[in-house]
Amino acid sequence: MKRWGNSQTQVVLFVGLAILGGACARPRPNTVRTSIQPAGRQPAIPRPQPANIRAVWVSDTSKLDWNTATAALQRAGFNTMYVNLASGGAAFYPSQILPNVSSNVGDPVAAGIRLAHQRGLAVHAKLLVTFMYKTTPEFQRKLAKTDRVMRDEHGHPIEQAGYDWLCPSQETNHTLITSIITEMLTRYPVDGLQLDYIRFNENPSCFCAHCRQAFERYLGRKVRRWPADALSSPDASRFHQWRIAVTTDWVREISSIARSLRPGLVISAAVVPELDRAREEKGQDWKTWLDRGYLNYICTMNYVPELPQFDLRNRQNLMTVGNPRQIVVGIGSWKFKQMSSLQTQINAVHQLGVRGFSLFSYDDAAERNFLPQVTAPVPR
């Protein structure tokens, strides 16, 4: 493993220490921040990107056999991996910021990326921004105790599979995510950064004390009944608008910092394909993120096995976005029992002229060994 220079280590440690400074409310959106550039390290030169993406998502990187995976993907005609390197509460590599939950010795991620590149596969670092997937109980309790997690209307932490979600409105959580991105992009020669879970939870949220303060600043007045007014009064629509503004500002911030660290870096986001639902339920306005240039493209999580509904969503996304090169269609391969039906969806995407497709997930493909039964067609 290549060891970091002292100056670089000090920078990452300095950023990481900021997360210990206590929670504070997030200022009103459009706050300008200074990006971070580690000392003593030149940004990596971007590698050529595949013209047409044929990708898989890797969910549990602690179980990833890089040699087996890259060989199988190369044989099946794939050229891109979106590899989960960190969540909002855990890292799958030796991190100085987050608990390292990988049981592997050394740094298999570094060797794995080199191997992937040798076999013609691009590797994008995927970050589960708000979801604290695989975090340790100690780290989760620490953040819950300092009120840095999303809360429902009853004040309870929102959980998924036993893991909390980071509150998107808090500056300390933004600093944490900035430090993770800084660490990943300066440690590994990844070909891109993908943001996943860059959103509020689909359950009504977030109603922590910090969100109340930030929403009141957004309104310019106090909220008399909290959270009732944010749920059902005329303020409910303003609450949705505020959540959209919070996530949009966070994407802008992440994009600016990542590209200052790595000029030319490709940035994408995994998103809910129905724009109205994404905005209303999750504060996820991916159309604006594309229009403002924060992202190079989106990966639509179009996880429906029925071909008519799958095609309809894809065509609606094309009409909404306008530019087919800004869409990678996510396919829920785990939902298919017949690989011929999965191949039909892959072929349907191929005919659309979009940037490409991605299967969720490689984890399932490895467990069921279905990659030999599908092909990733190469455009003529």
Side-chain angles (χ1 to χ4, degrees), residues 33 58 92 201 244:
R33 285 175 184 77
V58 177
F92 292 93
N201 188 276
I244 290 170

Side-chain angles (χ1 to χ4, degrees), residues 25-315:
R26 172 91 176 131
R28 183 171 176 168
N30 298 325
T31 301
V32 178
R33 285 175 184 77
T34 303
S35 59
I36 299 172
Q37 176 66 55
R41 177 77 172 261
Q42 294 298 317
I45 299 175
R47 298 173 68 253
Q49 294 289 316
N52 295 277
I53 292 174
R54 305 183 296 279
V56 295
W57 275 296
V58 177
S59 182
D60 191 349
T61 310
S62 66
K63 299 178 181 179
L64 179 63
D65 182 330
W66 285 88
N67 182 47
T68 300
T70 54
L73 291 168
Q74 182 188 43
R75 284 194 299 269
F78 289 78
N79 59 24
T80 302
M81 303 169 68
Y82 301 117
V83 182
N84 182 22
L85 293 189
S87 73
F92 292 93
Y93 63 91
S95 173
Q96 298 181 43
I97 306 299
L98 290 172
N100 175 16
V101 296
S102 175
S103 59
N104 294 311
V105 178
D107 190 354
V109 171
I113 292 174
R114 287 194 298 271
L115 183 59
H117 287 168
Q118 291 169 9
R119 289 175 169 167
L121 292 157
V123 179
H124 293 229
K126 188 175 81 158
L127 171 61
L128 311 185
V129 180
T130 56
F131 185 40
M132 297 174 66
Y133 177 62
K134 293 284 186 176
T135 190
T136 62
E138 295 78 15
F139 192 79
Q140 181 156 296
R141 283 195 296 267
K142 173 184 174 181
L143 266 63
K145 184 177 181 180
T146 53
D147 200 23
R148 289 173 55 183
V149 300
M150 285 195 215
R151 296 187 180 273
D152 62 20
E153 63 267 40
H154 305 295
H156 302 142
I158 293 178
E159 294 184 353
Q160 179 178 330
Y163 301 113
D164 292 345
W165 292 50
L166 294 178
C167 170
S169 76
Q170 298 186 39
E171 185 67 27
T172 47
N173 289 340
H174 285 233
T175 301
L176 172 62
I177 296 302
T178 294
S179 68
I180 298 167
I181 291 172
T182 301
E183 186 176 59
M184 289 193 304
L185 295 185
T186 55
R187 187 182 187 103
Y188 300 114
V190 292
D191 301 284
L193 172 67
Q194 181 164 110
L195 309 177
D196 197 1
Y197 286 84
I198 180 70
R199 58 184 175 87
F200 285 83
N201 188 276
E202 52 269 23
N203 294 319
S205 58
C206 170
F207 301 108
C208 69
H210 308 278
C211 280
R212 177 175 186 169
Q213 294 167 8
F215 181 52
E216 288 176 341
R217 284 196 297 273
Y218 181 80
L219 289 176
R221 57 176 171 79
K222 295 289 185 180
V223 176
R224 186 169 61 87
R225 299 179 305 156
W226 179 263
D229 286 351
L231 288 167
S232 60
S233 79
D235 284 341
S237 63
R238 298 294 304 279
F239 186 65
H240 288 307
Q241 293 169 8
W242 170 76
R243 297 198 321 161
I244 290 170
V246 167
T247 53
T248 295
D249 188 56
W250 202 1
V251 173
R252 176 202 59 77
E253 175 186 326
I254 290 172
S255 177
S256 176
I257 289 171
R259 286 172 175 159
S260 71
L261 290 166
R262 295 275 300 277
L265 183 74
V266 172
I267 303 176
S268 62
V271 301
V272 174
E274 307 97 319
L275 181 58
D276 289 343
R277 178 175 161 233
R279 287 169 52 89
E280 183 77 10
E281 287 186 7
K282 309 172 191 302
Q284 193 176 63
D285 188 1
W286 47 257
K287 177 67 164 62
T288 296
W289 305 348
L290 288 172
D291 289 346
R292 294 182 182 176
Y294 304 155
L295 305 177
N296 294 87
Y297 61 86
I298 55 172
C299 288
T300 58
M301 298 182 291
N302 194 359
Y303 302 157
V304 290
E306 298 80 12
L307 186 61
Q309 186 179 358
F310 179 77
D311 282 337
L312 177 61
R313 282 185 181 176
N314 287 334
R315 297 188 185 283

Side-chain angles (χ1 to χ4, degrees), residues 273 300-317 329-332 336 341-342 344-350 352 357-358:
T300 58
M301 298 182 291
N302 194 359
Y303 302 157
V304 290
E306 298 80 12
L307 186 61
Q309 186 179 358
F310 179 77
D311 282 337
L312 177 61
R313 282 185 181 176
N314 287 334
R315 297 188 185 283
Q316 288 173 336
N317 289 150
V329 177
I331 301 175
F336 291 89
S341 298
L342 172 59
T344 298
Q345 285 203 356
I346 293 174
N347 294 341
V349 173
H350 176 58
L352 289 174
F357 72 90
S358 184

